[in-house]
Amino acid sequence: MFFSDDRKHFFRPLNSKYREQIVECLRELYARLYSSVADYRRALNREQLIEIFQEALVRAPLLDEDFANEINAPTRSEREQANWILNQLLEYGWLEKLFDEATLQSSYAFTRVGRLFTQPMVETA
């Protein structure tokens, strides 16, 4: 069953006014991991992932359908927004945190399902 415990709210990141920003971050990460510009020699750490997301946020618009709520919402810097997006994608099963016990370093990658759902977003852009 697709909507099991670990994927119960899988699509929640795509149901907010930040959905275009999140999709742009997913597209940019997918391009960095699986396109011709991919660097297969090393895994992405948190800092590199935040930088990728910050670059994507520059290009992505914020949807203003909830303009009344946006007035009261505190504004975030691009770095804070990138951190928030990373946490959302980790929490809802799009990305996973991997830990290398030999080097004691953490890295990040798409989950299998996250990669499968991001690929059509990249191809339709």
Side-chain angles (χ1 to χ4, degrees), residues 34-114:
Y34 304 112
S35 72
S36 61
V37 297
D39 182 10
Y40 296 108
R41 292 178 287 172
R42 59 184 177 146
L44 294 174
N45 62 29
R46 185 176 186 92
E47 191 61 35
Q48 292 167 326
L49 200 56
I50 295 298
E51 288 174 11
I52 291 170
F53 285 0
Q54 282 180 293
E55 291 173 17
L57 289 174
V58 170
R59 293 187 302 271
L62 175 65
L63 300 178
D64 61 350
E65 64 188 33
D66 297 326
F67 185 75
N69 294 337
E70 187 177 324
I71 294 172
N72 298 329
T75 57
R76 297 183 186 137
S77 69
E78 286 177 2
R79 184 167 184 79
E80 290 171 334
Q81 184 71 6
N83 265 315
W84 180 80
I85 289 173
L86 173 59
N87 291 334
Q88 292 290 304
L89 294 175
L90 285 168
E91 181 178 350
Y92 295 114
W94 288 83
L95 301 178
E96 61 186 342
K97 183 177 182 178
L98 307 170
F99 185 73
D100 184 4
E101 293 179 10
T103 62
L104 302 177
Q105 299 290 322
S106 295
S107 62
Y108 296 84
F110 278 104
T111 60
R112 181 179 172 277
V113 176

